[in-house]
Amino acid sequence: MIPFTDEELLKPVTASLQKVLPMLENDGGGMELLGIKNGKIYVRLTGHCHGCAASTTTLKYGIERQLRIDIHPELEVINVPIGEEFNIGGL
């Protein structure tokens, strides 16, 4: 169980994502933080990362790994693809 509220996670998650953003940008990609709900971090991969065959690997072994190292080992990252609706209240 994650010992933080979603609100408490926002600042550290944002800081941690800033660490991996240059890696994505070097390959022409990007990422948007959409929200946090029940310890799950919802992002949207953009640019060349959107639809890339390696995007699942980037998500799990790049982004999620960094969040787990920096914040908590049970955090999970979920990509919400471009074109899919995202409503944090409806999760």
Side-chain angles (χ1 to χ4, degrees), residues 80-91:
V80 179
I82 294 171
E84 287 191 18
E85 285 296 315
F86 178 77
N87 179 355
I88 198 146
L91 296 177

Side-chain angles (χ1 to χ4, degrees), residues 48-58:
H48 290 142
C49 291
H50 169 67
C52 173
S55 63
T56 301
T57 302
T58 298

Side-chain angles (χ1 to χ4, degrees), residues 17-84:
L17 292 177
Q18 290 302 311
K19 291 180 180 180
V20 295
L21 192 56
M23 172 190 67
L24 302 175
E25 290 173 340
N26 282 341
D27 288 332
M31 167 184 48
E32 300 171 41
L33 174 61
L34 300 177
I36 302 169
K37 181 76 172 179
N38 298 325
K40 293 182 180 173
I41 293 91
Y42 292 86
V43 299
R44 177 168 287 145
L45 296 176
T46 61
H48 290 142
C49 291
H50 169 67
C52 173
S55 63
T56 301
T57 302
T58 298
L59 199 69
K60 294 296 176 189
Y61 298 106
I63 300 168
E64 187 173 274
R65 181 177 177 272
Q66 188 65 52
L67 288 164
R68 288 178 172 193
I69 289 168
D70 291 346
I71 303 168
H72 195 274
E74 293 179 29
L75 291 177
E76 181 181 356
V77 177
I78 298 167
N79 181 42
V80 179
I82 294 171
E84 287 191 18

